[in-house]
Structure formats: structure tokens, C-alpha cells
């Protein structure tokens, strides 16, 4: 009982540490001044218009969205079958194989980026987008395998066996029984993968080129050259988009179903 006030105080402190910097950024986005400062000078929507009309940012935003969507789709296309094979198949060396697909979590991203740069961009003369796509898909693979596997472990395998016993083919039983049970895990992996890819900096910083750049790296380059509130406005727009995605996910599936199987 005595530990509860301490735990509550630490929880409140944690929320303050996380939220106060965000509130400063959001407040700075509405300033009428020409530099970032707190408290902001007046109230204006000027910098949102500047951010939305900045061609450099809009191109980078399109590139980041395209890269994140395709990389997430590739990671799920490979990770879901791998999770099924690891949990349902009698594979020799299953622990070794699982460790291989989870290894991007512990290998520094700069090491992965350097390897891809040497092998794909220099050795095979591939474009920056191709190298980034492979790199992001590799980084997202652990989410697809681990999160989908957690959802698969909670699924009742007897339902699929019952469907097969009633005459369904393996593919039909998987499509109509197993896949709906895995939907929360697949959506979890998709959301986590998309956010991870969209916000990635180390790998993108090493592999992007003048022809293809991601939004986080473009914003990092911009803030090194200028200190105007356009960065705060762009960050606020991204935050608003994240909230919209969270609301849609909550209304369509629910966070309990989406993230409940990760623990």
C-alpha cells in the first residue's frame, strides 16, 4: 500500500517528462514570431501554411509514406509465413532461425546500412530507394515475426483443425479461420512497422540520396540550417496524423485487440 503513492508519483513524472516537450513544440508551431521560443509570440497559423507549401518537405513526406507502406507490406509478406512456420511447423534449428529473423533488433542500424550500401549500391549498382526498401524491410521483420507469433500463440489451433475435419482445404481453413484470428497481430505488426519505418533516421541517413530523401532526415537537415518554427509546425502535423491513425485503429479494431497479444 505504501508503494502506491510512490509509483503514482513516478508515473506522473514520466508522463510529464514525455508530454511537456511535445507541448512546447506544439505551442511553438502556433507562434507569430520568426524563431522558436517559449512562450510563443502571439498566435498565427502562418507556419502550417509554410510547412504544407514547402516543396522539400512535401516530396520527402511522399517518399517516406511510400517507403513505409511498401517496406511494411514486404515485412508482413515474409514475416507472417515465417511466424506460422516457426509456431506450427516442425523445423530443425527453429531457435536459430527465430534468432536470425529477430537479429535486426540487436544489430546497429548503421552496420546494416553500411552493409547494404556496399553490397547493393556500390556492388550491384542499385538505387537509393531499393537499398532503403531492403533495409527498412529487414528492420521491420522482427515486428512481423514476433508480434504475429505472439498472436498466433494465443490463437486456438483446434478451430483450424475442426475446419479441416469438416472438409476444408488447408488454404481455405487458413483463410477463413486462422487469418481472422491473426488479424490483431498482423495489424499490430503493420502499425509498429509503419511507424518505425516512417520515423527511421540512422539507416535512412546513410542510404538516402539527393533523388530520394525521407522526411525525418530532411527535417534534421533543415533544422541544422534554420531555426524558424516551420519544423515545429511540421512536427505538429505529423503528430496530428498519428493521432488520427490511432483513433481509426481504435474505432475499427480496438487497442486491446491490436496490442493485447504483444505481452
Amino acid at each position: 500500500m505504501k508503494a502506491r503513492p510512490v509509483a503514482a508519483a513516478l508515473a506522473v513524472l514520466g508522463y510529464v517528462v514525455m508530454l511537456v516537450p511535445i507541448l512546447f513544440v506544439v505551442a511553438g508551431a502556433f507562434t507569430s514570431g520568426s524563431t522558436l521560443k517559449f512562450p510563443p509570440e502571439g498566435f498565427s497559423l502562418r507556419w502550417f501554411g509554410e510547412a504544407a507549401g514547402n516543396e522539400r518537405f512535401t516530396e520527402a513526406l511522399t517518399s517516406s509514406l511510400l517507403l513505409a507502406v511498401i517496406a511494411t507490406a514486404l515485412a508482413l509478406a515474409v514475416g507472417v509465413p515465417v511466424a506460422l512456420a516457426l509456431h506450427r511447423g516442425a523445423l530443425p534449428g527453429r531457435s536459430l532461425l527465430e534468432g536470425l529473423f529477430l537479429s535486426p533488433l540487436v544489430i546497429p542500424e548503421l552496420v546494416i546500412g553500411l552493409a547494404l550500401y556496399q553490397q547493393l549500391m556500390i556492388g550491384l549498382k542499385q538505387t537509393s530507394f531499393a537499398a532503403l526498401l531492403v533495409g527498412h524491410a529487414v528492420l521491420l521483420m522482427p515486428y512481423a515475426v514476433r508480434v504475429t507469433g505472439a498472436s498466433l500463440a494465443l490463437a486456438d489451433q483446434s478451430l483450424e483443425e475442426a475446419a479441416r475435419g469438416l472438409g476444408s482445404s488447408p488454404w481455405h481453413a487458413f483463410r477463413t479461420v486462422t487469418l481472422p484470428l491473426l488479424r490483431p497481430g498482423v495489424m499490430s505488426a503493420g502499425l509498429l512497422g509503419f511507424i518505425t519505418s516512417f520515423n527511421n533516421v540512422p539507416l535512412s541517413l546513410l542510404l538516402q540520396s539527393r533523388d530520394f530523401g525521407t522526411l525525418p532526415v530532411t527535417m534534421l537537415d533543415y533544422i541544422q540550417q534554420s531555426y524558424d518554427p516551420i519544423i515545429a509546425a511540421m512536427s505538429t502535423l505529423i503528430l496530428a496524423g498519428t493521432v488520427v491513425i490511432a483513433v481509426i485503429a481504435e474505432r475499427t479494431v480496438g487497442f486491446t485487440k491490436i496490442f493485447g497479444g504483444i505481452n
Side-chain angles (χ1 to χ4, degrees):
M1 296 296 293
K2 294 182 179 180
R4 290 186 179 180
V6 177
L10 291 176
V12 171
L13 179 62
Y15 280 115
V16 170
V17 170
M18 291 188 295
L19 294 178
V20 168
I22 298 176
L23 295 178
F24 285 166
V25 172
V26 173
F30 291 95
T31 184
S32 58
S34 58
T35 58
L36 273 174
K37 62 173 60 177
F38 190 87
E41 300 177 359
F43 178 85
S44 175
L45 298 177
R46 166 194 172 189
W47 297 108
F48 290 97
E50 295 281 349
N54 190 300
E55 185 178 355
R56 184 180 176 187
F57 285 156
T58 54
E59 290 181 356
L61 175 61
T62 303
S63 299
S64 290
L65 290 174
L66 177 66
L67 178 63
V69 169
I70 299 179
T72 302
L74 286 176
L76 290 176
V78 177
V80 173
V82 167
L84 284 168
L86 290 174
H87 286 266
R88 297 285 177 84
L91 297 177
R94 183 171 59 180
S95 299
L96 180 62
L97 185 61
E98 184 177 9
L100 176 64
F101 279 95
L102 297 181
S103 61
L105 290 175
V106 296
I107 298 177
E109 294 183 22
L110 290 177
V111 175
I112 298 176
L114 181 61
L116 292 174
Y117 179 78
Q118 292 178 337
Q119 298 299 322
L120 294 182
M121 298 184 69
I122 295 181
L124 299 178
K125 307 297 182 182
Q126 294 298 311
T127 63
S128 174
F129 176 77
L132 279 169
L133 183 59
V134 173
H136 279 228
V138 168
L139 290 180
L140 306 187
M141 198 68 64
Y143 299 103
V145 174
R146 182 61 177 171
V147 178
T148 305
S151 182
L152 187 63
L154 297 176
D156 189 355
Q157 189 174 356
S158 63
L159 295 177
E160 184 177 351
E161 295 174 353
R164 292 184 182 181
L166 293 174
S168 294
S169 64
W171 167 247
H172 186 267
F174 170 77
R175 182 173 57 85
T176 58
V177 178
T178 306
L179 193 58
L181 294 174
L182 293 181
R183 188 177 68 165
V186 173
M187 291 192 66
S188 301
L191 285 174
L192 292 172
F194 179 85
I195 294 172
T196 301
S197 175
F198 187 86
N199 292 325
N200 181 269
V201 172
L203 189 68
S204 301
L205 184 63
L206 187 60
L207 296 178
Q208 78 170 24
S209 64
R210 293 182 178 179
D211 298 329
F212 189 91
T214 62
L215 183 60
V217 177
T218 301
M219 293 174 65
L220 180 62
D221 291 339
Y222 186 89
I223 203 171
Q224 291 176 342
Q225 304 169 4
S226 178
Y227 200 62
D228 57 43
I230 191 173
I231 288 294
M234 197 69 202
S235 301
T236 302
L237 291 174
I238 295 174
L239 178 62
T242 304
V243 171
V244 170
I245 294 175
V247 171
I248 293 175
E250 171 63 23
R251 294 294 180 88
T252 54
V253 179
F255 283 123
T256 302
K257 292 183 178 179
I258 293 178
F259 296 104
I262 300 179
N263 296 329

